[in-house]
Amino acid sequence: METVTLGSSNGAIEVEAVGLDKIRSNLANLKRIRHVTVDTNVRSGDPYGKIRHTCPNVVNLDLSDSLLPSWEDVSAITCELPKLTSLTLNRNRFSRLSAVSQTMMVAFVYLQDLRLNRTLISWEDTHLLLECMPELRSLELAYNRLRLCGDTENHRGISMSKLELLNFEGNDLDDWRRIMAAFSPFTNLRRVILASNMISAIPMPSQLEPNRYITHVGLSSNQVNSWSVLDALHAWLPHLESLTINDNPLVDGHGSFRQLVIARIPSLLSLNATAISVKERTDCELFYLSQISQEERSEEIRDLSHPRWMELCEKYGRPHDRHGGPQDTLAKRLISIKVRRTDTEPQRTTTSQLTMPQLTVRVLPTMSFRAFQLKLLKSLHETPRRRPECQIWLLTENGEILKLEGDDTRDLTWFGVEDGTGLLVYLSSQ
C-alpha cells in the first residue's frame, strides 16, 4: 500500500492511497481527457497532428490569459480537436480580423459555446467569426467596451445562426434601437444579457422593428429611470417572459415597482428571478388600474401614458374616476403586517422583543416571500447590495414564534401571513 504526504500539512500528515497506480494510469492516458485548462503563457500550438494524436476527445478548452497573437493561431489548435464544443478565450488580445481563412472555416465548425470576455473584440470581428461557427449556441462578450453597431453591412452567414444566448454585460451600450438592429439576424436568439451598460431610454419601435424571438432580457445595473421604458420594452419584445431590472434608478427605493412592472408587461412570467403567479398578476393589474384612474389627465394623454389602460378596463371593468365616486382600488386587498427587528436571533419570544419599535408594512398577500424579504430590507433601510441574510419568525396568537422558511417563491398566504400578523426580523451578515 502506497502512502502519500499531504502537501497542505507541511509533511505532517500521511495517508494511504488506495488504487493510486490505477489513477496514475488513467491520468497518463491523455486520449481520455475531455476538459482542458491551460494556465501557462501559450504562444502557439504544437506541430500539426500532435494535438489530435495526444488528446483527440477534448470537448471543453480554456485558453484564457494566453499569448496567442491571432485567430489563426487559435484555429491551428482547435482544428485538431474534432469534438470541441466549448472554447474560453477570456482576457486575450488578438489582432484584428480582415477575413476568415480556410483553416478557421473548419476549426470551429462544431463549437457551441464561446467566451470572449475582456478581449476588446469588436462587433465587426464578431460578425466575421460567426460565419465559421454554424453550431454556436452561446456567446459571451462581456466587458469589451462595445458600443454595438447595428449597421454592419455584412450579415451573410449569420442570418440562420443557431445562437440562443448573447451576453453583453459590462459594455458601453446605450442606443436601444441600434442594439436591436444588431440582434435582428439572430432568429433563434432567446436570452440577452445587457446588465451593467448605459441604457437609460428605450423609444417605441416602428411597425417592423419588434423582435418576436427574445424571451429573456437582463437590464440590471443600467440607468433606466422612466416607466415609459417598460411600455416600450413590451412593444419591442412582445413575447418577453423573464426580466431582471434591479439596481436601476427607476427601481431603487420604489415600494410598488414590482406591481407596476408586472402590470405594464403582460407577457412576463418571472421578474428579478421570482415567478409571477396568476393571482399576483391579477392583483398587480388591478393596482395599476386604480393608480391610473387617480391621475387628473385627459383621456387622450392617459391613453398615451398608459398603453394598457383600455385593455385593462376591458378586462376588469372601468374604475370610477377620482371624483366620480368610490374607487375600485386594491386598498382593500392590502394587508398590514407588524414588523419588529431584533438584534439577536430569537430562541423564544421575550418581553424586550415585543416592546421594540414596531414598523407596519402594507403588502399584497399574493407577494412572494422572496419579494417580501427585499421589501423588508428597504423598509428597514438596508441596501440589498449588502445582502444581509433576512430571517423571519411569525408571532403566533399564543405567544410562540415560528420560523418562516422553505420555498421562497410561495406567496405570503402560503406561509400563514395575514392581516395583522406580527413578525420578528433578524438581519445577519453573511
Side-chain angles (χ1 to χ4, degrees):
M1 183 72 67
E2 186 174 353
T3 59
V4 176
T5 302
L6 298 183
S8 59
S9 67
N10 295 321
I13 300 176
E14 289 187 352
V15 297
E16 292 183 352
V18 179
L20 188 59
D21 289 340
K22 185 177 181 180
I23 295 174
R24 287 198 183 105
S25 176
N26 289 337
L27 292 177
N29 185 4
L30 298 182
K31 292 185 177 181
R32 303 179 63 177
I33 291 180
R34 295 173 59 83
H35 305 275
V36 174
T37 298
V38 183
D39 56 4
T40 58
N41 294 327
V42 178
R43 291 178 172 84
S44 63
D46 289 331
Y48 181 76
K50 187 174 182 180
I51 296 176
R52 184 187 293 266
H53 175 74
T54 305
C55 48
N57 293 310
V58 172
V59 297
N60 188 317
L61 177 62
D62 188 342
L63 292 173
S64 298
D65 300 297
S66 75
L67 297 178
L68 294 169
S70 69
W71 281 100
E72 284 294 330
D73 293 278
V74 175
S75 60
I77 296 173
T78 58
C79 70
E80 295 197 52
L81 301 171
K83 297 184 179 181
L84 186 68
T85 59
S86 178
L87 178 62
T88 302
L89 296 167
N90 297 334
R91 298 177 298 279
N92 281 287
R93 296 291 186 271
F94 300 122
S95 57
R96 291 293 304 272
L97 277 172
S98 57
V100 175
S101 68
Q102 290 298 317
T103 303
M104 292 178 63
M105 291 301 294
V106 299
F108 309 107
V109 68
Y110 298 116
L111 199 64
Q112 297 182 16
D113 178 30
L114 178 62
R115 298 169 186 171
L116 296 173
N117 302 319
R118 300 185 187 276
T119 59
L120 301 185
I121 189 172
S122 68
W123 185 237
E124 292 75 15
D125 281 7
T126 302
H127 269 245
L128 289 173
L129 285 174
L130 290 175
E131 290 183 25
C132 53
M133 300 177 180
E135 298 297 321
L136 197 66
R137 302 294 202 279
S138 173
L139 175 61
E140 295 186 9
L141 296 169
Y143 300 96
N144 284 321
R145 304 178 190 172
L146 288 171
R147 296 295 299 269
L148 202 62
C149 296
D151 54 358
T152 305
E153 296 180 359
N154 187 5
H155 286 304
R156 72 178 189 276
I158 65 170
S159 60
M160 297 302 292
S161 170
K162 296 181 180 180
L163 201 62
E164 298 174 358
L165 184 149
L166 267 172
N167 186 343
F168 285 101
E169 182 177 356
N171 284 287
D172 298 326
L173 310 182
D174 59 359
D175 190 325
W176 182 263
R177 198 176 297 276
R178 295 176 69 186
I179 292 172
M180 296 306 296
F183 295 161
S184 60
F186 307 113
T187 55
N188 285 291
L189 189 61
R190 298 293 181 268
R191 298 177 61 84
V192 177
I193 309 301
L194 295 168
S196 301
N197 276 276
M198 302 170 65
I199 299 170
S200 59
I202 298 180
M204 280 290 182
S206 66
Q207 186 174 358
L208 298 178
E209 287 182 308
N211 185 302
R212 303 187 183 279
Y213 308 108
I214 297 174
T215 59
H216 171 83
V217 171
L219 285 174
S220 299
S221 302
N222 274 273
Q223 300 172 16
V224 176
N225 56 16
S226 171
W227 290 109
S228 63
V229 166
L230 301 176
D231 302 321
L233 187 63
H234 172 56
W236 279 97
L237 307 173
H239 298 298
L240 185 66
E241 297 179 357
S242 176
L243 173 67
T244 55
I245 196 172
N246 47 295
D247 295 332
N248 275 278
L250 177 67
V251 173
D252 292 343
H254 198 294
S256 303
F257 86 90
R258 181 173 174 86
Q259 292 96 313
L260 295 177
V261 173
I262 291 173
R264 284 177 179 263
I265 307 180
S267 58
L268 276 188
L269 301 178
S270 174
L271 175 61
N272 290 339
T274 301
I276 302 168
S277 67
V278 175
K279 192 172 189 305
E280 183 183 16
R281 170 161 293 285
T282 298
D283 285 346
C284 292
E285 290 178 345
L286 285 171
F287 175 77
Y288 180 45
L289 193 61
S290 68
Q291 293 288 100
I292 301 174
S293 69
Q294 297 179 55
E295 296 180 359
E296 295 182 341
R297 294 182 177 185
S298 67
E299 194 70 19
E300 182 179 357
I301 295 177
R302 182 180 289 175
D303 289 342
L304 290 174
S305 302
H306 305 283
R308 296 202 67 204
W309 162 247
M310 292 306 299
E311 176 193 346
L312 294 176
C313 285
E314 293 177 3
K315 185 176 181 180
Y316 299 106
R318 191 183 186 93
H320 295 287
D321 290 333
R322 185 173 184 178
H323 300 294
Q327 299 178 33
D328 182 17
T329 70
L330 281 189
K332 296 180 181 179
R333 294 173 177 260
L334 295 174
I335 61 174
S336 297
I337 301 174
K338 302 172 183 179
V339 178
R340 289 184 174 90
R341 180 174 178 177
T342 175
D343 295 330
T344 58
E345 185 173 341
Q347 302 300 320
R348 58 185 181 84
T349 306
T350 64
T351 304
S352 61
Q353 288 168 342
L354 291 177
T355 56
M356 293 178 67
Q358 178 178 291
L359 172 69
T360 300
V361 179
R362 289 173 58 80
V363 296
L364 290 169
T366 53
M367 175 179 281
S368 71
F369 190 62
R370 181 186 300 173
F372 178 65
Q373 288 176 305
L374 293 176
K375 184 174 181 65
L376 279 182
L377 291 178
K378 290 183 179 181
S379 299
L380 296 171
H381 306 293
E382 291 284 344
T383 170
R385 295 182 183 180
R386 193 171 70 85
R387 296 295 181 191
E389 182 182 1
C390 184
Q391 301 181 57
I392 303 175
W393 286 261
L394 184 146
L395 292 169
T396 63
E397 294 181 355
N398 57 6
E400 297 180 353
I401 61 173
L402 176 64
K403 188 172 184 180
L404 302 184
E405 52 189 351
D407 184 359
D408 62 3
T409 62
R410 297 274 193 173
D411 59 31
L412 295 178
T413 303
W414 189 85
F415 284 92
V417 178
E418 54 189 23
D419 190 45
T421 294
L423 299 179
L424 286 177
V425 179
Y426 171 62
L427 304 180
S428 61
S429 301
Q430 293 183 336

